[in-house]
Amino acid sequence: MSGKKQDARVRYTKMMVKSSLLELMQTKPVAKITVTEICEKADINRATFYSHYSDPTDLLHSIERELIEDISRRVQPAIAALGGDLKDSMTEIVEYVRENAEACRALLSDQGDTGFQNQVVQVVEKQFIEHWRANSSASMEDAEYIYTFIAIGSVGVIRKWLAEGTVKPSGEVADIIIKLSSAGFMSLAG
């Protein structure tokens, strides 16, 4: 058997297992989800599951790591665009969330891992604060407050958008985040 076919099968299996967990998380927290439930939904055996993950929490952390890495890469251009036109960068981030709505909805829901939202907020904190401090006369403490306000507010907007089924276009959601963030940012930018 060729390595590429095996790699494709492994990728497909992992995708099905991840999708099964996320679907189950729509109705209950990961701590109450069993390997058996995941395997039945993904139509795999337990040995296959255990060849990739140690338990449902390990699977959840794997999903979270992938999303955090992808979000981090997409946020870099947005930070560079602060003070300029960040519409394209923010729209790309929101569109990424739309493309991964099932995972984001599950992870940011009440059934998700509470630490995930904190990881999302922290993924750019240092970069944002360093950039803003270099371009503002505000204190470090003020920069941290502003960042917290913007980050938590942005996650809240995304959660609402996901809960409503991502009906509103990505560009409009990006505009809302930018306008609300700019208002908070500009209020202390003096």
Side-chain angles (χ1 to χ4, degrees), residues 112-176:
D113 179 5
T114 56
F116 177 72
Q117 183 173 325
N118 292 335
Q119 289 177 41
V120 170
V121 168
Q122 292 171 354
V123 75
V124 292
E125 181 175 23
K126 182 179 178 189
Q127 299 154 342
F128 172 88
I129 290 172
E130 286 176 4
H131 174 84
W132 198 61
R133 287 286 297 130
N135 297 294
S136 169
S137 61
S139 70
M140 178 63 95
E141 181 181 27
D142 285 350
E144 290 170 354
Y145 276 108
I146 291 168
Y147 176 76
T148 301
F149 173 81
I150 291 170
I152 298 296
S154 297
V155 170
V157 168
I158 293 291
R159 283 183 70 176
K160 178 173 176 40
W161 181 62
L162 288 166
E164 293 175 347
T166 65
V167 175
K168 187 178 281 293
S170 300
E172 288 182 29
V173 175
D175 281 340
I176 290 169

Side-chain angles (χ1 to χ4, degrees), residues 16-175:
M16 292 305 297
V17 169
K18 289 174 183 179
S19 180
S20 296
L21 174 67
L22 295 171
E23 188 176 328
L24 289 164
M25 286 178 65
Q26 291 176 17
T27 58
K28 58 183 167 179
V30 71
K32 301 220 183 239
I33 297 172
T34 66
V35 171
T36 301
E37 289 174 303
I38 295 168
C39 291
E40 286 173 0
K41 192 163 276 304
D43 196 26
I44 62 168
N45 62 46
R46 291 172 62 85
T48 301
F49 178 90
Y50 286 118
S51 70
H52 302 292
Y53 308 102
S54 60
D55 58 28
T57 302
D58 181 40
L59 170 58
L60 176 63
H61 291 311
S62 172
I63 295 167
E64 291 173 343
R65 278 190 303 275
E66 283 179 31
L67 286 171
I68 293 293
E69 288 170 11
D70 287 346
I71 290 169
S72 182
R73 279 193 302 275
R74 284 169 174 78
V75 165
Q76 296 297 331
I79 291 172
L82 285 174
D85 180 19
L86 69 125
K87 167 83 177 185
D88 289 342
S89 298
M90 186 58 67
T91 301
E92 181 182 341
I93 293 167
V94 174
E95 189 56 35
Y96 173 79
V97 171
R98 178 193 300 277
E99 291 166 3
N100 294 279
E102 180 184 24
C104 292
R105 188 177 295 113
L107 295 172
L108 292 172
S109 75
D110 294 337
Q111 307 297 340
D113 179 5
T114 56
F116 177 72
Q117 183 173 325
N118 292 335
Q119 289 177 41
V120 170
V121 168
Q122 292 171 354
V123 75
V124 292
E125 181 175 23
K126 182 179 178 189
Q127 299 154 342
F128 172 88
I129 290 172
E130 286 176 4
H131 174 84
W132 198 61
R133 287 286 297 130
N135 297 294
S136 169
S137 61
S139 70
M140 178 63 95
E141 181 181 27
D142 285 350
E144 290 170 354
Y145 276 108
I146 291 168
Y147 176 76
T148 301
F149 173 81
I150 291 170
I152 298 296
S154 297
V155 170
V157 168
I158 293 291
R159 283 183 70 176
K160 178 173 176 40
W161 181 62
L162 288 166
E164 293 175 347
T166 65
V167 175
K168 187 178 281 293
S170 300
E172 288 182 29
V173 175
D175 281 340

Side-chain angles (χ1 to χ4, degrees), residues 170-187:
S170 300
E172 288 182 29
V173 175
D175 281 340
I176 290 169
I177 292 170
I178 292 167
K179 285 176 187 173
L180 292 172
S181 299
S182 295
F185 186 76
M186 296 309 293
S187 69

